[in-house]
């Protein structure tokens, strides 16, 4: 470890660290625009200048200079101060200085650093350059005259997303950042460049001119659009969620967020269920809570145990536990969370968990993906797999072809390959120190779980410090539901066979309601989507942004989300609806408050009370594997429209139409 001196303070820095990192270890703030911890070093903004001895008697870019033994680094000399002022003056020469109308105002690196490190005035009186705007799609608004050529967006697209869609044209003052042929940036992580842009050149198109940062309340939350459980911050104004931004969590989402998680929030206020509805003469009509509860109680009269609960993809654990307590008090055990009909074995949760963890999968050196289109199902996990490939990992895929953004070999779409492994694949896994398999939803639906467990045994995927067996879910509620017992042995077919008089659909919009024609279908949810259309009774509930809740991601990580805004109209938090229904059914569920509900849930499943990775025990032995099946397709057909909130979002429909289905941008007539 080299020993350096920073402004008279001596310290040891890690091998390979830069001078900028050494200064930060010493507690010094170094201004920068092009440097970013997760991107390659460009060294082109020159804002991070420091004085280093031994070396030439001039300021040097600290981001691109390796820290070496015996260096004396100065960040506070007059030379450094004057040099930074000069760089800032050059950066502002062509900047339009339109801060009052810029959406980056109030959270702009250029503003902050101009105040802290710039001169008090400008000596430039010539014409500023102007750059034509570039079209980057429905999510990214461009005002490229503001661009300072830091190239963060270019490096993100190439290195993190793996999609070379953004690049630079020309040189010097004429340089322009653009997408190729000025087409939309169409990958599923494109909007992260908005966070990366240190000026107002790339801003959020849907959020344009909506609010200023100081007007917003910030609430920590968890993304429910997939099973990654990305940490997000919901920014609200009044009773409306204005935007969702990522929170840094190196174990889960680092500092990235998928476009769907970021932009589906405009759907929170559209197509909402805010009144109780009951079906009368084949049509839904407004009703009161008492009428709805009496109708449910009447349906169960004489047989209170004939009730089932089916959980949707975005339900919190507290809601599922409240429904479970209601059913238990009624004498029923008909709980299911796999609403599309899958029926894989859940006797050991270790066999349906992402055991390597997201951070751990980066270190795998041989990876077999079976029946998962990871870019759609978990874009942020695909980012981790790109890192593994950069470190030398070999990736093999079983299933229909898709573009993984990294070199990978497709082994066909028949799951029998798990038992009859090609020699070169077997050799790669035998030689690997950290081999891994990722089983997706399509492979579970094809009955390949035991074949995957047999593969794990054969190639010793579980070792002293490594568990390479992983299942990739795509529903935010799935692991929490499995921990709470939302799984029948035969899946939803068992509930159909039981023919319950009442079916509680807890935000379940993807299930086949026609199988319950003779049941009273009660939909407890927040959007007028498929579940509400099929329901006999609609009880309006709160979305994930309108209630506190616990969520468990696909790696078994327990996380807590807070309430950001209030639910609209007569909508209530789900647990209060179920508590009131318990009174109508004259059963005791054992809780009268959210805290009591949470305490009862934690008493039954202690792991849900501790944030972090839950322990599921050892990986079970494989049972007799089913005959291999062909994986005909993947469960997600349209990345942007996978849940009721996204389907209510104008932005998501625009993305689906333009980016996936080739629709032309609709322009208003002038």
């Amino acid at each position: 470890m080299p020993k350096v001196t920073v402004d008279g303070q001596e310290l040891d820095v890690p091998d390979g660290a830069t001078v900028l990192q050494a200064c930060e270890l010493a507690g010094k703030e170094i201004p920068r625009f092009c440097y970013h911890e997760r991107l390659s070093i460009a060294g082109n903004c020159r804002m991070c200048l420091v004085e280093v001895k031994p070396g030439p008697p001039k300021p040097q870019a600290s981001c691109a200079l390796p820290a070496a033994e015996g260096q004396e680094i100065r960040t506070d000399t007059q030379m450094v101060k004057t040099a930074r002022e000069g760089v800032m003056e050059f950066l502002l020469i062509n900047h339009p200085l339109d801060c009052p109308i810029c959406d980056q105002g109030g959270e702009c690196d250029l503003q902050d650093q101009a105040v802290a490190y710039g001169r008090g005035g400008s000596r430039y009186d010539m014409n500023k350059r102007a750059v034509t705007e570039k079209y980057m799609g429905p999510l990214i608004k461009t005002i490229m005259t503001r661009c300072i050529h830091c190239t963060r967006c270019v490096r993100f697209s190439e290195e993190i997303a793996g999609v070379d869609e953004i690049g630079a044209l020309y040189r010097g003052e004429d340089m322009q950042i653009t997408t190729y042929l000025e087409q939309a940036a169409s990958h599923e992580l494109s909007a992260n460049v908005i966070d990366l842009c240190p000026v107002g050149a790339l801003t959020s198109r849907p959020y344009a001119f909506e609010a200023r940062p100081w007007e917003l309340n910030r609430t920590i939350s968890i993304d429910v659009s997939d099973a990654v459980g990305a940490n997000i911050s919901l920014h609200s104004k009044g009773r409306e969620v204005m935007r969702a931004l990522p929170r840094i969590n190196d174990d889960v989402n680092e500092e990235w967020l998928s476009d769907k998680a970021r932009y589906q929030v405009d759907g929170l206020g559209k197509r909402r269920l805010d009144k109780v509805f009951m079906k009368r003469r084949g049509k839904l009509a407004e009703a009161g809570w008492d009428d709805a509860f009496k109708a449910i109680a009447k349906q169960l009269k004489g047989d209170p145990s004939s009730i089932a609960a089916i959980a949707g993809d975005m339900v919190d654990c507290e809601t599922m536990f409240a429904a479970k307590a209601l059913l238990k008090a009624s004498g029923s055990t008909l709980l299911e969370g796999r609403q599309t009909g899958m029926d894989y074995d859940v006797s050991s949760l270790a066999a349906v968990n992402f055991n390597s963890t997201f951070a751990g999968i980066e270190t795998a050196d041989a990876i077999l993906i079976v029946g998962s289109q990871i870019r759609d199902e978990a874009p942020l996990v695909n980012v981790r797999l790109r890192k593994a490939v950069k470190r030398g990992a070999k990736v093999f895929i079983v299933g229909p072809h898709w573009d993984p953004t990294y070199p990978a070999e497709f082994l066909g779409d028949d799951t029998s390959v798990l038992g009859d492994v090609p020699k070169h694949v077997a050799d790669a896994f035998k030689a690997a120190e950290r081999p891994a398999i990722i089983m997706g939803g399509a492979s579970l639906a094809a009955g390949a779980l035991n074949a995957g467990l047999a593969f794990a045994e054969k190639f010793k995927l579980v070792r002293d410090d490594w568990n390479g067996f992983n299942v990739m879910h795509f529903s935010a509620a799935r692991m929490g539901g499995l921990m709470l017992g939302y799984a029948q042995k035969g899946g939803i077919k068992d509930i159909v066979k039981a023919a319950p008089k009442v079916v509680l659909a807890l935000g379940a919009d993807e299930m086949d309601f026609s199988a319950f024609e003779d049941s009273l279908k009660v939909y407890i949810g927040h959007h007028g989507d498929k579940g509400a259309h099929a329901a006999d009774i609609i009880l309006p509930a709160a979305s994930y942004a309108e209630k506190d809740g616990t969520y468990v991601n696909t790696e078994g990580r327990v996380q807590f989300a807070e309430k950001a805004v209030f639910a609209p109209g007569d909508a209530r938090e789900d647990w209060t609806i179920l508590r009131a229904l318990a009174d109508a059914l004259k059963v005791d569920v054992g809780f009268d408050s959210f805290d009591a509900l949470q305490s009862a849930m934690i008493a039954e499943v202690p792991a849900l009370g501790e944030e972090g990775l839950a322990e599921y025990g050892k990986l079970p032995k494989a049972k007799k594997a089913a005959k291999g099946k062909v994986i005909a397709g993947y469960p997600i057909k349209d990345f942007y429209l996978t849940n009721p909130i996204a389907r209510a979002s104008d932005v998501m429909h625009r993305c689906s139409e333009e980016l996936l289905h080739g629709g032309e941008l609709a322009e208003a007539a002038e």
Side-chain angles (χ1 to χ4, degrees):
M1 294 177 69
K3 184 170 286 189
V4 301
T5 304
V6 179
D7 293 344
Q9 177 185 346
E10 198 175 82
L11 71 156
D12 293 323
V13 297
D15 292 329
T18 63
V19 168
L20 186 149
Q21 290 168 325
C23 293
E24 290 195 329
L25 284 172
K28 304 294 179 181
E29 182 181 325
I30 303 295
R32 85 292 296 270
F33 293 112
C34 68
Y35 176 81
H36 191 277
E37 293 83 353
R38 302 184 199 276
L39 303 176
S40 62
I41 293 169
N44 56 9
C45 78
R46 318 309 285 180
M47 194 64 211
C48 62
L49 295 172
V50 297
E51 193 177 343
V52 181
K53 296 178 182 176
K58 64 175 184 178
Q60 298 189 63
S62 59
C63 70
L65 185 66
E69 182 68 36
Q71 280 177 334
E72 290 184 35
I73 304 164
R74 302 295 305 191
T75 69
D76 54 0
T77 64
Q78 185 60 41
M79 180 198 288
V80 170
K81 183 175 183 293
T82 305
R84 289 176 180 171
E85 287 178 353
V87 169
M88 180 59 72
E89 194 173 6
F90 277 123
L91 287 174
L92 294 178
I93 276 176
N94 285 314
H95 198 78
L97 304 182
D98 56 352
C99 303
I101 61 161
C102 177
D103 268 314
Q104 198 83 348
E107 47 192 5
C108 173
D109 292 352
L110 188 64
Q111 277 184 336
D112 297 341
Q113 293 182 38
V115 170
Y117 302 101
R119 294 176 75 247
S122 173
R123 295 171 285 182
Y124 189 78
D125 57 6
M126 298 172 68
N127 292 332
K128 292 176 180 280
R129 73 167 188 156
V131 182
T132 56
E133 309 313 345
K134 315 297 179 188
Y135 184 67
M136 289 193 182
L139 303 180
I140 305 169
K141 179 185 175 185
T142 67
I143 301 182
M144 301 313 290
T145 303
R146 298 171 183 159
C147 179
I148 61 169
H149 302 161
C150 71
T151 68
R152 281 185 180 182
C153 54
V154 178
R155 286 175 283 148
F156 172 83
S157 296
E158 291 179 357
E159 298 164 14
I160 307 297
V163 182
D164 295 347
E165 287 189 335
I166 302 178
L169 300 176
Y170 319 123
R171 300 188 63 177
E173 191 180 63
D174 295 325
M175 178 172 157
Q176 297 182 22
I177 302 293
T178 180
T179 52
Y180 296 113
L181 303 178
E182 292 199 27
Q183 292 180 339
S186 59
H187 60 85
E188 61 285 346
L189 297 167
S190 63
N192 286 287
V193 300
I194 296 167
D195 295 338
L196 287 172
C197 185
V199 295
L202 304 177
T203 55
S204 172
R205 187 179 289 273
Y207 179 68
F209 309 124
E210 291 291 330
R212 286 299 195 185
W214 53 84
E215 299 178 287
L216 303 175
N217 293 318
R218 291 161 176 77
T219 309
I220 63 170
S221 189
I222 302 298
D223 168 43
V224 296
S225 66
D226 58 31
V228 172
N231 289 207
I232 59 174
S233 173
L234 293 176
H235 294 191
S236 56
K237 184 179 178 183
R239 298 186 65 158
E240 183 181 358
V241 176
M242 304 300 292
R243 62 179 180 176
L245 295 181
R247 287 186 290 126
I248 297 176
N249 187 330
D250 287 334
D251 292 327
V252 184
N253 57 302
E254 299 177 285
E255 60 186 85
W256 316 126
L257 194 59
S258 75
D259 291 350
K260 179 168 56 181
R262 186 185 296 266
Y263 283 115
Q264 70 174 6
V265 293
D266 78 305
L268 287 170
K270 297 182 176 72
R271 291 173 60 182
R272 286 302 301 267
L273 300 173
D274 57 359
K275 290 182 173 63
V276 177
F277 286 91
M278 292 178 65
K279 192 168 279 185
R280 294 184 176 124
R281 298 193 186 112
K283 290 185 178 181
L284 288 169
E286 281 187 37
W289 288 97
D290 287 342
D291 293 336
F293 290 152
K294 284 176 183 174
I296 297 169
K298 183 180 178 182
Q299 182 76 1
L300 289 171
K301 199 170 184 181
D303 190 5
S305 66
S306 186
I307 182 172
I310 300 170
D313 292 344
M314 301 188 293
V315 189
D316 57 297
C317 292
E318 285 80 1
T319 296
M320 290 188 280
F321 181 77
K324 181 180 180 180
L326 174 65
L327 264 66
K328 184 178 180 181
S330 301
S332 173
T333 58
L334 296 174
L335 303 167
E336 183 55 71
R338 299 164 296 180
Q339 53 175 326
T340 53
M342 291 192 286
D343 60 352
Y344 47 84
D345 182 14
V346 295
S347 56
S348 169
L349 293 185
V352 290
N353 186 50
F354 201 95
N355 297 295
S356 297
T357 73
F358 300 149
I361 201 68
E362 291 180 11
T363 64
D365 46 7
I367 303 169
L368 178 63
I369 301 170
V370 186
S372 179
Q373 209 283 44
I374 292 185
R375 279 186 69 180
D376 280 356
E377 294 170 18
L380 298 172
V381 176
N382 207 51
V383 168
R384 305 278 191 172
L385 296 180
R386 274 184 55 77
K387 288 189 184 180
V389 171
K390 284 183 179 178
R391 289 174 169 151
K394 294 180 179 177
V395 178
F396 307 95
I397 301 176
V398 178
H401 195 277
W402 53 281
D403 177 14
T405 74
Y406 42 78
E409 181 183 346
F410 282 80
L411 304 177
D413 50 12
D414 194 328
T415 60
S416 60
V417 74
L418 291 170
D420 186 15
V421 184
K423 185 178 184 304
H424 68 287
V425 178
D427 291 343
F429 273 83
K430 286 173 184 174
E433 293 182 9
R434 295 167 82 84
I437 185 173
I438 298 175
M439 307 285 292
S443 67
L444 298 180
L449 181 59
N450 276 307
L453 289 169
F455 181 91
E457 286 178 23
K458 182 176 180 179
F459 292 103
K460 298 183 174 59
L461 266 56
V462 181
R463 303 177 183 184
D464 291 340
D465 58 344
W466 175 251
N467 186 336
F469 186 83
N470 304 297
V471 169
M472 173 63 70
H473 299 294
F474 45 85
S475 304
R478 186 58 41 84
M479 283 306 293
L482 295 179
M483 290 171 75
L484 288 167
Y486 272 73
Q488 301 293 307
K489 189 172 183 182
I492 209 165
K493 292 190 287 290
D494 284 2
I495 294 182
V496 173
K497 199 180 295 180
K501 290 182 177 179
V502 173
V503 175
L504 300 179
L506 308 174
D509 287 277
E510 318 303 328
M511 62 183 276
D512 179 11
F513 284 88
S514 65
F516 299 101
E517 282 186 1
D518 298 328
S519 304
L520 182 71
K521 298 176 282 295
V522 181
Y523 180 75
I524 303 175
H526 39 79
H527 276 78
D529 205 75
K530 301 171 187 174
H533 286 289
D536 299 310
I537 295 176
I538 295 173
L539 304 178
S543 71
Y544 76 100
E546 297 151 4
K547 58 185 173 182
D548 293 334
T550 305
Y551 298 90
V552 187
N553 74 354
T554 191
E555 57 175 356
R557 187 179 301 277
V558 179
Q559 302 183 107
F560 192 74
E562 295 180 0
K563 178 178 181 175
V565 292
F566 289 96
D570 289 339
R572 300 287 183 266
E573 294 182 28
D574 307 61
W575 76 269
T576 63
I577 296 172
L578 293 161
R579 176 65 186 82
L581 180 56
D583 284 345
L585 299 180
K586 296 184 172 60
V587 296
D588 179 20
V589 289
F591 57 83
D592 293 310
S593 67
F594 183 79
D595 288 341
L597 163 64
Q598 214 170 38
S599 298
M601 178 183 75
I602 293 167
E604 181 168 315
V605 186
L608 291 175
E610 297 180 29
E611 288 199 279
L613 293 171
E615 290 289 335
Y616 295 136
K618 291 183 178 180
L619 196 68
K621 296 286 185 184
K623 299 172 184 174
K624 185 179 179 183
K627 188 178 178 183
K629 289 185 181 178
V630 171
I631 297 172
Y634 299 110
I636 293 179
K637 306 303 181 190
D638 189 320
F639 169 72
Y640 296 104
L641 303 174
T642 56
N643 62 64
I645 298 174
R647 288 191 286 267
S649 162
D650 291 340
V651 178
M652 292 294 96
H653 277 284
R654 191 179 174 103
C655 288
S656 173
E657 177 67 22
E658 185 176 342
L659 304 180
L660 293 184
H661 302 118
E664 292 296 322
L665 177 65
E667 297 273 358
E670 291 296 333

